[in-house]
Every structure is written in C-alpha cells, then in structure tokens.
Amino acid sequence: MRLSDETLLDIMARFQAEMQKGLGKDTNPTASVKMLPTFVRAIPDGSENGEFLSLDLGGSKFRVLKVQVSEEGKRNVQMESQFYPTPNEIIRGNGTELFEYVADCLADFMRTKELMQKKLPLGLTFSFPCKQTKLEEGVLLSWTKKFKARGVQGTDVVSSLTNAMRKHKQDLDVDILALVNDTVGTMMTCAYDDPYCEVGVIIGTGTNACYMEDMSNIELVEGDEGRMCINTEWGAFGDDGALEDIRTEFDRELDLGSLNPGKQLFEKMISGLYLGELVRLILLKMAKAGLLFGGEKSSALHIKGKIETRHVAAMEKYKEGLANTREILTDLGLEASEADCVAVQHVCTVVSFRSANLCAAALAAILTRLRENKKLVRLRTTVGMDGTLYKIHPQYPKRLHKVVRKLVPNCDVRFLLSESGSTKGAAMVTAVASRVQAQRKQIDKVLALFRLTREQLVGVRDKMRVELEYGLKRDTHPLATVKMLPTYVCGMPDGTEKGKFLALDLGGTNFRVLLVKIRSGRRSVRMYNKIFAIPLEIMQGTGEEVNAGQGVPRSEVPACHPIQCRPGMTAALSLQLFDHIVQCIADFLDYMGLKGAQLPLGFTFSFPCRQASIDKGTLIEWTKGFKATDCEGEDVVDMLREAIKRRNEFDLDIVAVVNDTVGTMMTCGYEDRNCEVGLIAGTGSNMCYMEEMRNIELVEGDEGKMCINTEWGGFGDNGCLDDIRTQYDKEVDEGSLNPGKQRYEKMTSGMYLGEIVRQILIDLTKQGLLFRGQISERLRTRGIFETKFLSQIESDRLALLQVRRILQQLGLDSTCEDSIVVKEVCGAVSRRAAELYGAGLAAIVEKRREDQGFEHLKITVGVDGTLYKLHPHFSRILQETVKELAPRCDVTFMLSEDGSGKGAALITAVAKRLQQARREK
Ligand code: 0WK
Ligand code: 0WK
Ligand code: BGC
Ligand code: BGC
C-alpha cells in the first residue's frame, strides 16, 4: 500500500487519460470515469438571490434546508436545516418508498418551518452518479456507498421525487429546479466566497471531484463557448482494471463484500465508508497470521464494518491516538499490547496515507488539465473541499495538500473547506436556475405569440377564403383587401409558341432583362439574361422625367438626392425608374447584339396592377422596397413605352405585363399541365391561380378560365388578422414604407422577417434577457437583420459558434445562451410565416376543389422566391401546413428554376399568337 512518487505520477497520468476518454463522444460509453456534464455553466456572480429549499441526500447525513440568498451587494446566505435519519430499510428498500420518505421529511420540514404556503423552488443535492441532459434532471447510473434502493437505477430521480411530492398527502407544491452532485454543490459554495474556486472535492463516505471544463472539450454537450462543470465520478477510476497493479488483496476482499462489487474501486481505496473496513481486513489477516493480539481473533474483528473511519481518525490523532487505539481495540474485544497498538496505528496510517495519496494523484491530474486548458505556465486556483474523512481525520488534509503540491509544483492551490456543506452551493445553482427559468418564461411568452394553434390557422384559412370570394364579387371588390386582380392570362401555352422574346423581371431581389428563345414542338426554351441593380434612390426616386431643357430649380429637387444634385445636371440622371429600366434594356441589347431587333416584350412587374388587358396595367400602389413617385395610378406599360420613346434608340413591342406569380405559374405550367397556381415567397408575398371566368364578376364572359393575381399581401389590411398580429408586427409596419398596408406580406415575406426578428431581439434585450441588456447601435439599425441571416442561423448544420459569428458580424456581442435564443426567435418567426403561407394556400386549393365539385383535387403550385428556395425549413413547414389544412387536396410544389421571365415570354408568345389569330380573322 505504499505508493512511490513515481507510482503516484503514473496514476496521475492514467487518470488524465481516463478524463480524456470520458470527455470524448466516442470513448465515453466505455470509459469508467464518466465525466458527467452537470449543466452548471458558471460559478456564482453575486446576482443570485431568493429563497430556496434544498435537499442534501447521499452523504453520511440527509438534510433538508431552507436557504435565503440575498444580494444587494452583501453576499450573505441564511440557512435553516434539519437532519433526518436514513435507515437501511429505506436506502436499501424499494425506490418508491425511498422518495416517499424523502417527501415525508421535506413535508415535515416545511410544516415545522411554516413553509407549506410558500411555493419555493428546490435544489436537490444528490450525491450519486447521474446522467443529465439538463439541470433539472438526473438519471441515476448506479447507486454507490450505502444506497441500493431497488428500481431507481436508470430512472430520472428528479421526476421520481417530483411524483412522490405530488402524491404526498400534503401535495407538496415544490418545483425541483436543479439536481447537483455534492461535489458541484461544494465547489459552488466555496466559489461564492472565493471566485478562484473551480474544483470541488468530496472525501467523505464516498469520494469524488468536479471541475470547470471548457465546453469545447465536452463533446457530449452542444456548443463550444464558455465552460461547464464536469462531475468526474472519479470513484469509478479503475473499474476497467486500470488500477489492478496497485490494488491489494484487502481491496479485492473489501470489494467482494461490498454492496456493489467491481464498482467504485478507486473510491474503495480512499473514502470513509471503506477505510475502516480496509484496516479491519488487514488487522484480521495479521491476527490470523499471529502477528497481532497474540493471534487472538475476536468475533468483533470478523464483523464487516466493525471498524469505521472515525475509529481510524481517532487512532491517528497525534496525542491521544495511542489511547484511542487501545480503547477501540478493547471495544472490539481484543487484548492489545502496546506494540499491537502501535502496529494498528501504523496500519491506519498506511491505509489513510494511501487514500490521501491516491486522491492527490487524481486531483493533481485535474489541476494539470485546468492549467493546460488555460494554457498557463502557472495555475492559481482554489479547490473546495468537504466530506467527513477530510474534515475529521487529523492528518488527512495536511497529507493531501502536501502530496498535491508535490505532484503539481506549477499550481498554486488553495484548499477551502466548505463550512456549510454543499447545499449553499446547490442553492446558488438553484438561484441561477430560477433566474434562467424566469428568463426562459419571459422568452417563451414572446415566442408563444408566434406559435399559432391549429384553430388559429384554420381561422386564417377561412378568413382568406372569405376575402378571396370578397375580391371576386363586383359589389365587394372595391373594398376587398385581397384585390383579386384579373390578369387577362386565359390560356396555358400549348406548345405551338415559338420565336424570340424579350422579358423584363422587376420587383424581386434582382432586376433581370432576358432574351427568351422558344422553339415550338419540342417545348424547349433557351434564355439569356443579365441582372441589373436598381439603386435605392431610383427605387424610391420620382418616376417622372424632367426634360433637361428646363432645368429644375434646386429647391424642387427632392431632398433625398443631395449627393446626386451637382449644379446643372440635376434633372437628367436620377429621377426616372423607367428610364433606368430602359437604360438596362439598352445595355442588354448591346450585350446581346440585338440593337435593331424589334422584339416583342413581356414585362414581369411584381406589384399590384389593375389590368384592363394583357398589355395594360395601372400600378395600384408600390409595395416592398419601392416608392418611386408619380407611378402609382399610372399605367406601367405606358410609362415604359414613353421611356423607350424618350431614349429613341430602339423600339420594342410591349405585348404583355404580368405579375411575377403569373410568370412563375406559366413557367411551371409549361412543364406541368396541372400547374394552376403561382406562389411567390420572396422579398414579397403573393399568389395567383386560374379561376373560372364565371366567378370573375369584373370581367365579361363565363367561358374558360383566367388567371387571378390575388395580391394576398394585403390580406388583413382590414384588421381581420389583428388577433394574431403582435406588437412586433405593428412596429415593423410602422417602420415600413407603406404603413397599414400589406399586413399579411409583412408577417410572411423575406423583406420583413428579419425586421420582425430585430424588433423581438430589441424587446428581449430591453427586458435584460439578451446581450446583457445592452442594445447596440447596430441592433437599432433598420434592415440590419436581413432575412438571409435567418436562413443561415436556422440551418441545422450550423453550430452555435457560427451563429455567434453571424451575430458578431452584425455587431452583436453575444453569449452562448444569447445565440440559442436568437436561433429560437428566428425559428419562431419563420415558422409562423410558413404556416401563414400554408393557411392561405390551403384556402385557394380548397376553393378550387369545391368549385370543381371534386372529392379530391390534384393540383400543382409553381413556386419561386428566395425565402422558399433558401430557407432551410420554410418550404417543408409550408407544405405540411397545406396538407394539414387542405387534406383533400394533393398539392405538388414545383420550384420554378428559370424564374418568371420565361413565363412572361410564354405569355407574350401566347398573346402574340392570339393577336395574330385575331388579325387573321
Ligand atoms: C457534506 C455535504 C454533502 C456531502 C457530504 C459528503 O453537504 O452534500 O454529500 O458532505 O461527506 P460525507 O457526509 O459523505 O462524509
Ligand atoms: C424570381 C422571379 C421573380 C420574382 C422573384 C421573387 O423570377 O419574378 O419576383 O423570384 O423572389 P425574390 O427575389 O423576391 O426573393
Ligand atoms: C458518488 C458521487 C459523490 C461521492 C461523494 C460517490 O460515491 O458516486 O456522486 O459525489 O460519492 O459523496
Ligand atoms: C407584390 C406582388 C408580388 C409579390 C412577390 C408583393 O409585394 O404586391 O405583386 O407578386 O410582392 O414579389
């Protein structure tokens, strides 16, 4: 049992390897030192406060406590406690009875302390190896020490105790907010007084240690930021045979006689439950060998557990050690000579010395790991200590400290005895947990506003249905918020279309000019396109051309163009959206070498236009990021024609103006005849579909169908969605270019989701729930949280670290927890958007099914838009919601690969063909 320094250094190295093994995702299952994550991520920071109940179960004494932690700067903790016995029939009986007993004791304590009326959170110190996935849960891996209650291993002791408390005749209304191991409680207790404390060690009935590990080394838990306390459960070191070379026959004999043979082998060489027994077995062997007590063997010496650690401690006392030894041996019915007593003392010293040495070796391994984690040459740290053996054994602390310092000379270690047990620390953890829980509640309250119930979604579907009908009817159309605009697109291409067409695609993220070549018969379309930017000052400039001759007086030039307005050339450049479009067309025709060609043009104009024919469209109002003046109420085809005439470089035959939903439906309809709905989930939000002419009261004729551009973005502008609109939606609307308009769009489309998230983050930060309550300038900046960031943040592949990096780029300094909350907020906002889309779409496909009197409808929806295409979950949630709310419709979603430009060209081709046909008649 004498371990040399080399052996101790070797054991230290072995334990370091065991720790690495326990932390590894792949190696943990076979590791004997389990390195259990505790979900305690920080030591107390003094902000903890409140009143808590605490249970301390598993050590030599079972205690129930009330802990009052008060802040206000003065760090004091008041505790009232009551000990309760732990009879064997309870701790080795049936698990349910064990928890009922604990609940009884708690009830007794609360009655005595008049706490029954109070709803106090409870922290449970449970000193056994538990697997946790969160603070308020602990699945017992195996009993140790004196406990062996049946039916508990492999179960969550928090829910078992909660059930016992709920079933208790006084129905104890107590919430267990945290389960901590006693080593963790000890570390937290000591850290409350010494912030250097990052290790907790128990050398009591059992033995164990915990320490603060870097999250990046804890592969079993998501996240790489900060630290988390690891409960090493070093008692099991050697259970895989790693210590066979130092285990003695006495250790093996003791283990065979224990409640858990083969388990906790390291503990059985160290802790208080076993030291006395080791001494007994050694003395028994020596007596049998006639080396002691004249070979006499008293019956007491044969009794297991007859010699306890308190006896060993007493025998090793400096002064009265010898006298204690005589007395103890006499109590054991042994005739002991002076020499026998000295020898017995010597045995005790050897056994307890080995215990301290082994502990020191494992602790030194932990301290080395801390120093290496911090990349320090010299580590200064504090180790919180507790446990009866450490507290009562006269020599133990000194020996332990000495050997530790010998094994890790490059660590300045302070050993801090935990005066008030681990429960103070458990209360700290519970205080943090209750603060986190309170914060969680506040965050959930906000997120709940975005969680729509099935009933609410059905309500949205049915309201949308009413609005659709409303818009189609002549007498209600003028007031309809879902405008249901006839598009004069009546037929799908039939494959005979052919020729070269120009197409413009304005209104989405990019402005595109395209040349589309359609070959008839084989239905093949080839396209060439160029993407042009629309500068903000043009998007929101004035539509009208002020002819250069006149020269606009400076005062009349709108303020928003200061940079542009150099004297003299004011009017020329900046003012005209349509001149810019024509400029782009000119560049494109140059680029394609088509200058002279007089090509038919299809104009995808993704804004609400009232059409009187396929080539007439009056802009009702701008949406999304556009606000160019003098356009609303104007015919966009005329404005484009005039701009082309003004440029006088080429001539185009504008044949059709179509909405991007219509272009998308047509693009997909060219491949799939069933495609009769076009959906855009992009910067904006809209849907079109083929409606029976008889239902379109605004347009003459009852034969066949015509495509209706629903402009459902305006759904809810009459307040019918106010029951699900949140304050954040109102803030986004008030800050938008068109307050009060496009409410449904502002809850669902790419232009606004980022803004909703930003508003929520501002509110949560104001509540002190995020970013340490600091609202950064960046967070106040409109439009900073682009929707693309949602897609990135919500992608499953992205670790929290990357979420943090995105937030960093946005100038938002965030903690690990902040990143988690931001990810949840993004998820809630985008999920609601997708569900609202699903409810709207369910309304239209159900209408189509009923209108055609089908039991089941098979229909295809052509879809486009960056939100649908790029968001990791949006399309799936939308599809699931449609299936849920329109179960009798079998909806196929067809992604429009080529954009609506192709559709616009096909519509132009059809329009040309019909024009031709009309001319020939
Ligand atoms: C006192 C702590 C308790 C821990 C005990 C360990 O409050 O949580 O379990 O120390 O020492 P033992 O009582 O087993 O000697
Ligand atoms: C691509 C289409 C275009 C439409 C856009 C919508 O070609 O007509 O406006 O999708 O998606 P966004 O670019 O707004 O995300
Ligand atoms: C248990 C540990 C506990 C230690 C000290 C061991 O038997 O497995 O969870 O920390 O005893 O009480
Ligand atoms: C416009 C629609 C367009 C949709 C998608 C909305 O803002 O009002 O016309 O289809 O955005 O781009």
Side-chain angles (χ1 to χ4, degrees):
M1 286 192 169
R2 287 185 205 291
L3 303 176
S4 67
D5 292 356
E6 287 61 42
T7 304
L8 290 179
L9 284 168
D10 178 16
I11 292 167
M12 180 177 151
R14 289 185 216 176
F15 190 68
Q16 281 175 287
E18 287 297 329
M19 287 200 286
Q20 192 52 45
K21 205 171 162 204
L23 287 171
K25 187 189 274 294
D26 312 331
T27 48
N28 174 274
T30 55
S32 53
V33 177
K34 285 296 179 197
M35 304 300 274
L36 302 169
T38 67
F39 293 84
V40 170
R41 296 173 186 269
I43 59 176
D45 63 4
S47 67
E48 297 75 17
N49 72 76
E51 200 175 18
F52 309 93
L53 282 170
S54 190
L55 287 176
D56 185 355
L57 183 64
S60 54
K61 302 187 190 61
F62 168 37
R63 259 190 322 168
V64 180
L65 306 91
K66 178 175 83 79
V67 182
Q68 173 67 41
V69 181
S70 58
E71 58 172 27
E72 292 107 28
K74 51 186 191 320
R75 295 161 149 243
N76 64 13
V77 175
Q78 270 101 48
M79 300 197 320
E80 295 167 54
S81 69
Q82 175 66 41
F83 285 99
Y84 291 87
T86 50
N88 275 353
E89 60 275 11
I90 292 287
I91 62 175
R92 293 191 198 156
N94 167 313
T96 311
E97 281 152 19
L98 167 64
F99 290 110
E100 279 163 2
Y101 173 74
V102 171
D104 286 347
C105 299
L106 179 61
D108 171 71
F109 180 81
M110 292 171 78
R111 224 183 0 263
T112 324
K113 304 288 179 191
E114 280 116 35
L115 296 172
M116 274 304 185
Q117 284 61 39
K118 289 190 174 185
K119 187 167 172 25
L120 292 178
L122 183 137
L124 168 61
T125 301
F126 189 71
S127 314
F128 301 95
C130 286
K131 195 164 190 51
Q132 295 182 266
T133 60
K134 55 187 174 181
L135 203 50
E136 62 281 18
E137 174 209 67
V139 173
L140 176 65
L141 293 177
S142 59
W143 284 119
T144 65
K145 294 173 281 190
K146 300 177 187 165
F147 282 66
K148 204 170 180 46
R150 292 183 303 282
V152 182
Q153 284 177 193
T155 68
D156 172 16
V157 291
V158 170
S159 48
S160 305
L161 181 54
T162 303
N163 296 343
M165 290 194 293
R166 292 284 177 276
K167 285 211 300 297
H168 195 280
K169 48 189 175 297
Q170 268 110 4
D171 180 13
L172 303 175
D173 185 8
V174 168
D175 268 345
I176 301 177
L177 286 192
L179 174 145
V180 292
N181 183 262
D182 55 351
T183 55
V184 180
T186 299
M187 179 192 76
M188 292 294 270
T189 295
C190 297
Y192 195 59
D193 301 326
D194 176 343
Y196 276 93
C197 181
E198 52 195 344
V199 180
V201 173
I202 296 282
I203 308 171
T205 314
T207 184
N208 187 17
C210 71
Y211 71 103
M212 294 303 284
E213 175 61 80
D214 295 351
M215 280 296 288
S216 53
N217 296 331
I218 304 174
E219 293 175 7
L220 293 170
V221 178
E222 155 90 15
D224 299 334
E225 280 315 299
R227 301 198 295 173
M228 178 184 280
C229 181
I230 288 291
N231 166 14
T232 65
E233 284 298 336
W234 72 11
F237 180 25
D239 287 11
D240 60 352
L243 295 175
E244 283 317 305
D245 58 334
I246 62 166
R247 290 186 61 226
T248 64
E249 63 179 285
F250 306 108
D251 299 309
R252 293 192 176 82
E253 191 176 346
L254 175 148
D255 176 46
L256 288 174
S258 72
L259 279 177
N260 53 350
K263 296 273 187 188
Q264 301 292 98
L265 298 182
F266 190 61
E267 173 165 83
K268 287 170 182 167
M269 291 192 274
I270 292 175
S271 75
L273 184 58
Y274 307 105
L275 274 198
E277 181 59 7
L278 281 171
V279 169
R280 183 187 70 81
L281 291 171
I282 295 166
L283 296 184
L284 184 57
K285 172 143 179 165
M286 288 181 173
K288 284 185 185 155
L291 302 172
L292 282 179
F293 323 122
E296 282 309 307
K297 299 182 288 301
S298 73
S299 60
L301 201 51
H302 284 77
I303 298 172
K304 188 174 9 190
K306 197 60 183 159
I307 297 179
E308 297 176 26
T309 296
R310 61 189 168 80
H311 297 132
V312 176
M315 291 193 266
E316 289 198 64
K317 285 207 185 326
Y318 267 141
K319 310 250 181 312
E320 57 286 325
L322 202 53
N324 290 344
T325 306
R326 183 181 305 289
E327 187 197 329
I328 290 165
L329 291 175
T330 310
D331 294 351
L332 290 170
L334 291 167
E335 295 307 314
S337 65
E338 184 64 19
D340 288 335
C341 291
V342 173
V344 169
Q345 272 193 308
H346 193 44
V347 170
C348 289
T349 302
V350 169
V351 172
S352 62
F353 215 120
R354 181 185 71 165
S355 164
N357 281 340
L358 288 171
C359 232
L363 181 52
I366 291 176
L367 296 173
T368 302
R369 189 173 176 86
L370 277 172
R371 184 178 56 74
E372 286 165 356
N373 282 355
K374 299 180 179 197
K375 301 189 181 36
L376 292 174
V377 176
R378 216 171 162 74
L379 169 75
R380 172 183 167 191
T381 191
T382 297
V383 176
M385 300 296 302
D386 205 338
T388 326
L389 173 52
Y390 181 84
K391 280 196 283 194
I392 66 163
H393 189 293
Q395 326 296 345
Y396 203 102
K398 193 159 74 274
R399 287 174 187 159
L400 175 73
H401 304 169
K402 187 159 153 296
V403 179
V404 169
R405 290 181 178 126
K406 186 172 62 182
L407 292 173
V408 282
N410 42 18
C411 292
D412 299 339
V413 186
R414 177 187 178 209
F415 289 87
L416 179 57
L417 181 59
S418 156
E419 291 311 335
S420 50
S422 66
T423 43
K424 181 173 158 187
M428 296 303 148
V429 173
T430 311
V432 173
S434 67
R435 190 184 70 218
V436 169
Q437 192 191 46
Q439 288 174 337
R440 184 71 242 170
K441 277 209 178 67
Q442 286 167 287
I443 291 167
D444 285 346
K445 216 164 69 227
V446 170
L447 294 177
L449 296 172
F450 289 82
R451 212 159 292 142
L452 300 177
T453 63
R454 191 177 187 293
E455 285 61 40
Q456 285 174 311
L457 286 170
V458 167
V460 172
R461 179 197 67 196
D462 299 347
K463 285 177 196 159
M464 176 67 93
R465 179 63 183 275
V466 170
E467 295 295 321
L468 295 174
E469 303 292 355
Y470 220 52
L472 284 172
K473 302 269 179 297
R474 179 178 297 284
D475 44 14
T476 50
H477 176 80
L479 306 169
T481 54
V482 177
K483 300 182 183 58
M484 305 303 276
L485 304 168
T487 67
Y488 292 84
V489 171
C490 299
M492 302 299 267
D494 62 2
T496 61
E497 300 75 24
K498 66 181 182 330
K500 270 194 280 188
F501 303 87
L502 265 181
L504 300 179
D505 185 351
L506 175 72
T509 314
N510 306 309
F511 168 52
R512 263 187 278 237
V513 180
L514 308 92
L515 172 69
V516 181
K517 292 185 180 163
I518 304 175
R519 287 197 215 305
S520 66
R522 288 199 303 290
R523 285 181 170 275
S524 76
V525 175
R526 275 191 311 153
M527 299 181 338
Y528 310 86
N529 73 81
K530 210 163 179 295
I531 294 182
F532 295 88
I534 306 262
L536 192 62
E537 61 274 5
I538 290 198
M539 255 186 197
Q540 298 172 10
T542 69
E544 266 315 307
E545 159 76 12
V546 182
N547 48 22
Q550 287 155 324
V552 175
R554 183 151 182 61
S555 59
E556 273 190 24
V557 172
C560 68
H561 301 300
I563 47 176
Q564 305 272 343
C565 299
R566 287 185 298 286
M569 61 167 293
T570 317
L573 278 188
S574 63
L575 301 178
Q576 61 288 5
L577 168 64
F578 284 85
D579 294 283
H580 177 74
I581 290 171
V582 171
Q583 162 69 43
C584 300
I585 297 172
D587 292 4
F588 180 75
L589 292 175
D590 262 352
Y591 168 77
M592 295 298 287
L594 289 169
K595 252 297 170 357
Q598 217 263 345
L599 291 173
L601 177 131
F603 183 10
T604 300
F605 183 74
S606 311
F607 301 92
C609 284
R610 194 173 302 289
Q611 294 189 254
S613 67
I614 190 72
D615 62 350
K616 280 195 175 321
T618 303
L619 172 61
I620 298 169
E621 64 201 338
W622 284 120
T623 62
K624 290 173 282 190
F626 280 70
K627 197 116 200 78
T629 55
D630 310 317
C631 291
E632 290 170 338
E634 300 299 325
D635 182 295
V636 293
V637 175
D638 292 347
M639 286 194 276
L640 182 58
R641 281 198 181 111
E642 277 144 28
I644 291 171
K645 226 189 262 96
R646 266 196 305 274
R647 189 165 182 101
N648 194 20
E649 251 184 52
F650 51 83
D651 191 13
L652 292 175
D653 165 15
I654 303 174
V655 173
V657 59
V658 298
N659 184 262
D660 55 350
T661 54
V662 181
T664 298
M665 181 190 75
M666 202 53 88
T667 296
C668 297
Y670 197 56
E671 312 298 332
D672 176 340
R673 310 288 300 151
N674 273 336
C675 181
E676 294 198 339
V677 175
L679 183 72
I680 293 287
T683 313
S685 160
N686 192 15
M687 180 272 291
C688 74
Y689 72 107
M690 294 305 286
E691 178 57 273
E692 312 297 335
M693 279 299 285
R694 66 176 180 278
N695 294 337
I696 306 174
E697 296 179 359
L698 295 174
V699 180
E700 292 312 314
D702 287 346
E703 287 315 309
K705 299 178 185 167
M706 175 184 285
C707 179
I708 290 291
N709 166 15
T710 66
E711 285 298 335
W712 74 3
F715 177 38
D717 288 6
N718 57 2
C720 72
L721 287 179
D722 285 359
D723 60 327
I724 60 171
R725 275 185 87 219
T726 67
Q727 77 202 65
Y728 311 107
D729 295 310
K730 296 191 176 88
E731 277 148 7
V732 168
D733 180 40
E734 276 140 24
S736 71
L737 287 176
N738 51 351
K741 297 288 173 106
Q742 301 289 95
R743 291 189 185 179
Y744 183 64
E745 174 165 81
K746 285 172 184 165
M747 295 165 82
T748 58
S749 81
M751 171 132 193
Y752 304 101
L753 296 187
E755 268 303 282
I756 298 172
V757 167
R758 187 176 69 86
Q759 292 296 342
I760 296 170
L761 297 184
I762 286 178
D763 180 39
L764 291 176
T765 307
K766 277 191 191 131
Q767 293 179 46
L769 302 171
L770 268 181
F771 310 127
R772 297 181 201 47
Q774 312 300 327
I775 299 190
S776 70
E777 213 32 53
R778 296 289 301 247
L779 193 54
R780 290 181 203 286
T781 314
R782 199 184 303 287
I784 184 184
F785 212 101
E786 293 171 46
T787 298
K788 71 176 182 212
F789 292 132
L790 266 80
S791 298
Q792 288 164 7
I793 286 172
E794 286 184 63
S795 92
D796 302 341
R797 283 191 324 288
L798 213 58
L800 286 178
L801 195 55
Q802 274 108 345
V803 174
R804 290 209 46 223
R805 203 158 294 140
I806 292 172
L807 293 173
Q808 218 117 47
Q809 280 156 9
L810 291 175
L812 300 171
D813 242 347
S814 63
T815 63
C816 180
E817 281 72 23
D818 290 338
S819 316
I820 294 172
V821 173
V822 170
K823 192 165 182 170
E824 284 183 275
V825 169
C826 292
V829 170
S830 62
R831 168 171 278 277
R832 182 189 70 166
E835 287 175 339
L836 285 173
Y837 254 93
L841 195 54
I844 194 65
V845 294
E846 264 299 288
K847 178 182 181 335
R848 291 298 300 139
R849 183 185 65 77
E850 286 165 15
D851 284 358
Q852 297 169 77
F854 292 163
E855 255 314 299
H856 269 66
L857 172 71
K858 193 171 167 5
I859 189 165
T860 297
V861 173
V863 189
D864 206 336
T866 41
L867 182 55
Y868 188 94
K869 282 181 175 171
L870 301 181
H871 190 281
H873 309 301
F874 187 92
S875 54
R876 175 179 49 81
I877 296 169
L878 185 153
Q879 292 173 18
E880 285 164 1
T881 307
V882 173
K883 214 191 284 302
E884 171 74 16
L885 298 180
R888 299 163 71 174
C889 299
D890 171 3
V891 181
T892 301
F893 288 82
M894 182 177 184
L895 206 50
S896 160
E897 298 304 342
D898 309 313
S900 67
K902 175 177 171 182
L906 288 164
I907 290 166
T908 307
V910 172
K912 276 306 274 165
R913 178 163 49 78
L914 295 175
Q915 246 175 21
Q916 231 80 5
R918 261 200 304 279
R919 281 212 197 95
E920 274 139 20
K921 239 195 246 106

